[in-house]
Amino acid sequence: YLGLANLQHQIPVEAQTRFNLASVAKQFTALCVLKLVLENKLSLETDIRQYLPQMYPQHKTAIPLKTLLNHSSGVRDFYDLLSIRGTPWWRQEGLDNEDALALLLKQKDLNFAPNTEHWYSNSNYTLLAEIVTKVSETPFPQYAKQLFTDLGMSNTQFCTNYMRVIPFQSLPYNDWGDGSWQQYPMMTNLYADGFLYTTLKDQLVFEQAIQKATAQANSLLNLSQKPIPNTRIQSYGYGLEISPINGYPAVHHSGSTGSYNAQTLRFPDEKLSIII
């Protein structure tokens, strides 16, 4: 462990320090979806409007659930929509998933036909969280927390209230060019596309579970590292990029929210995981 988790009080980063994983969290949202699929409570081929009938009523083509997972749905990114409207996310206090859904409900069409292109959109994972809530009849953060508990990740959870105290939280800072460090405010209540707080220790517990699952062909953790069946997009799967790095087969993802940055790299053949 290196560096400081809190500049005001000079608190060093330690085993219990919790970080915001930003978009690296998407793999865990996808894991919740895949769990419901393996329990036959969801189907990857089902049109998302079976669960969210208010979405895109004028769109004739099906929008399969699988296209949300690998960003081939054509659903527009609500962060981009907020910026176009002149109200970027970081200027709004208390912005939450309901606000994002309300903005998406105003969209009449998609950017492209589902399963034809790959265009990264955080909205996909906001919609997935809503579907998990409806199908499991459990609020998504609570459903995810149980999954983390089952995985032995006791210090991992989505943040749904920016004012809530997160024990041992690492605070975000930035230097906007004047040579002084300033705290970067995080005043949103968004979750599922990011805003997952966890420790490096919990992440290593998860990496060990991933490596142990490699021989279990149809297990939840094994399947989560593969491309999604019957899709044109094979370089992105269950919240994870699947593409070589320096010639080595790899499963990976990065994340950035404000001053929080995270990276997960897995090299399956080497049984090597790198978490930053």
Side-chain angles (χ1 to χ4, degrees):
Y1 306 107
L2 182 69
L4 297 173
N6 182 298
L7 296 185
Q8 290 97 318
H9 302 289
Q10 298 289 290
I11 298 172
V13 173
E14 297 176 335
Q16 69 266 32
T17 305
R18 298 191 191 187
F19 298 91
N20 182 342
L21 293 193
S23 286
V24 174
K26 286 183 170 67
Q27 63 182 316
F28 296 105
T29 299
L31 204 61
C32 292
V33 174
L34 183 56
K35 184 175 185 294
L36 290 170
V37 169
L38 294 180
E39 293 172 351
N40 294 318
K41 297 178 182 177
L42 271 179
S43 169
L44 294 176
E45 303 298 331
T46 300
D47 192 319
I48 65 169
R49 290 168 295 186
Q50 178 173 321
Y51 313 106
L52 305 172
Q54 69 275 35
M55 303 293 300
Y56 306 104
Q58 300 173 347
H59 193 75
K60 305 300 182 184
T61 309
I63 310 172
L65 180 71
K66 62 188 179 184
T67 64
L68 296 181
L69 287 161
N70 65 9
H71 301 288
S72 63
S73 67
V75 174
R76 294 162 182 158
D77 191 308
F78 70 86
Y79 290 103
D80 292 341
L81 295 173
L82 287 168
S83 295
I84 291 170
R85 196 173 67 178
T87 56
W89 69 272
W90 48 270
R91 284 185 176 174
Q92 298 186 67
E93 181 181 358
L95 181 71
D96 60 19
N97 282 34
E98 293 299 319
D99 296 321
L101 288 168
L103 190 56
L104 292 174
L105 281 172
K106 295 179 180 179
Q107 304 303 304
K108 303 300 182 184
D109 210 345
L110 306 171
N111 278 344
F112 50 82
N115 203 25
T116 61
E117 298 182 38
H118 173 77
W119 189 275
Y120 192 91
S121 171
N122 290 281
S123 300
N124 290 313
Y125 278 73
T126 303
L127 294 177
L128 286 171
E130 189 70 10
I131 292 171
V132 168
T133 294
K134 288 183 178 294
V135 172
S136 68
E137 299 182 339
T138 305
F140 173 79
Q142 184 178 332
Y143 185 88
K145 180 61 177 175
Q146 183 58 54
L147 178 66
F148 295 133
T149 298
D150 295 343
L151 289 169
M153 302 171 68
S154 57
N155 294 309
T156 302
Q157 66 184 76
F158 283 99
C159 180
T160 59
N161 183 343
Y162 76 89
M163 292 191 294
R164 184 172 297 153
V165 172
I166 299 174
F168 306 107
Q169 178 186 357
S170 62
L171 297 181
Y173 302 90
N174 210 335
D175 174 358
W176 277 273
D178 62 357
S180 64
W181 288 106
Q182 301 176 54
Q183 190 169 329
Y184 198 125
M186 292 280 147
M187 299 188 295
T188 64
N189 296 328
L190 298 165
Y191 56 82
D193 67 312
F195 294 95
L196 178 69
Y197 285 83
T198 187
T199 63
L200 284 164
K201 185 176 180 181
D202 269 18
Q203 290 181 82
L204 294 179
V205 168
F206 183 63
E207 294 306 313
Q208 289 175 326
I210 290 286
Q211 292 186 9
K212 290 176 182 177
T214 54
Q216 303 165 18
N218 294 313
S219 69
L220 172 66
L221 295 184
N222 190 320
L223 291 174
S224 72
Q225 306 303 297
K226 310 294 183 183
I228 297 170
N230 304 316
T231 60
R232 292 182 60 184
I233 310 304
Q234 295 293 290
S235 60
Y236 196 104
Y238 296 95
L240 291 162
E241 295 185 56
I242 305 171
S243 59
I245 295 178
N246 292 341
Y248 290 90
V251 179
H252 53 100
H253 211 285
S254 61
S256 178
T257 298
S259 291
Y260 284 112
N261 295 274
Q263 183 89 38
T264 288
L265 305 170
R266 297 187 186 112
F267 299 94
D269 293 348
E270 283 70 34
K271 293 185 171 58
L272 171 66
S273 296
I274 303 172
I275 309 295
I276 305 173

